[in-house]
Amino acid sequence: MIFYIKMKSKIILGTVKFGIKYGINNFFRISKKDVFSILEYAYEKKIKILDTAEDYGESQNIIGMFLKENPTKKFKIISKLSSNINIKKNQLKDRIKFNCEILNTKKLHSYMIHNYNFFKDNMFLYDDLIRAKELGIIKSIGISLYDNDSIND
């Protein structure tokens, strides 16, 4: 007997190169024109989840420009809080709204803390994330982990 499992493919387009020089070939970042072409292609191919972050330079701005010029093309957007900012309790909601304005969207699919150690030093962010989720400006929350030790912490 053979069983078939139908899986819905999920591909997320990483956008770090839209905003900064990054990776093995870190000599350039992708031009705005090429970013727009990539986003058009992704949309046509039904890749509709974008991963971006405050730390990705101009990435969020360029995505926001694309969405403003193409209001019928909708993407689910995952963004991440920079660990380079000074944030206090109850300020995260406004930070998320600021990101939404830049990205030209009313809400984010997901919002994450980009650095686990930053999160450990600012544990109030968990409650702030939950409140933002309850307000409906984000659908899901998360924390980026970069090593196995963080999982067991």
Side-chain angles (χ1 to χ4, degrees):
M1 183 179 275
I2 299 175
F3 293 95
Y4 293 96
I5 300 173
K6 186 175 180 180
M7 292 182 62
K8 190 173 183 179
S9 177
K10 295 278 185 181
I11 298 175
I12 298 172
L13 177 61
T15 67
V16 66
K17 289 287 285 188
F18 292 4
I20 61 174
K21 297 173 183 177
Y22 179 82
I24 294 170
N25 185 8
N26 64 358
F27 303 111
F28 68 94
R29 72 173 228 228
I30 300 170
S31 72
K32 177 184 166 189
K33 179 183 172 193
D34 287 343
V35 168
F36 277 35
S37 294
I38 291 167
L39 291 173
E40 285 282 350
Y41 184 81
Y43 189 84
E44 288 170 13
K45 298 299 179 185
K46 304 201 182 321
I47 300 169
K48 297 195 182 161
I49 304 174
L50 304 178
D51 173 78
T52 192
E54 294 176 356
D55 287 336
Y56 293 177
E58 292 297 308
S59 178
Q60 292 193 143
N61 290 324
I62 293 171
I63 293 167
M65 286 183 237
F66 176 85
L67 295 175
K68 186 174 187 175
E69 289 183 25
N70 299 277
T72 61
K73 293 185 168 90
K74 305 290 184 195
F75 287 91
K76 293 178 180 178
I77 300 174
I78 300 166
S79 189
K80 298 174 220 68
L81 175 69
S82 173
S83 58
N84 295 320
I85 64 161
N86 182 15
I87 192 163
K88 295 182 177 24
K89 187 173 179 64
N90 298 321
Q91 292 180 336
L92 187 62
K93 175 185 73 164
D94 291 333
R95 189 76 187 181
I96 295 168
K97 287 182 178 181
F98 174 72
N99 278 272
C100 287
E101 287 175 25
I102 291 170
L103 289 159
N104 234 335
T105 189
K106 293 185 187 324
K107 62 183 178 178
L108 297 174
H109 180 67
S110 184
Y111 196 70
M112 301 173 63
I113 308 303
H114 208 165
N115 179 293
Y116 178 66
N117 289 323
F118 178 76
F119 175 70
K120 285 193 328 186
D121 293 340
N122 298 279
M123 293 296 289
F124 64 85
L125 289 170
Y126 177 77
D127 291 331
D128 288 357
L129 283 168
I130 296 298
R131 276 193 294 282
K133 186 176 176 186
E134 289 168 349
L135 290 170
I137 57 175
I138 54 177
K139 183 177 178 184
S140 60
I141 62 175
I143 302 169
S144 296
L145 302 175
Y146 298 98
D147 58 57
N148 291 339
D149 293 334
S150 298
I151 294 170
N152 296 321
D153 194 11

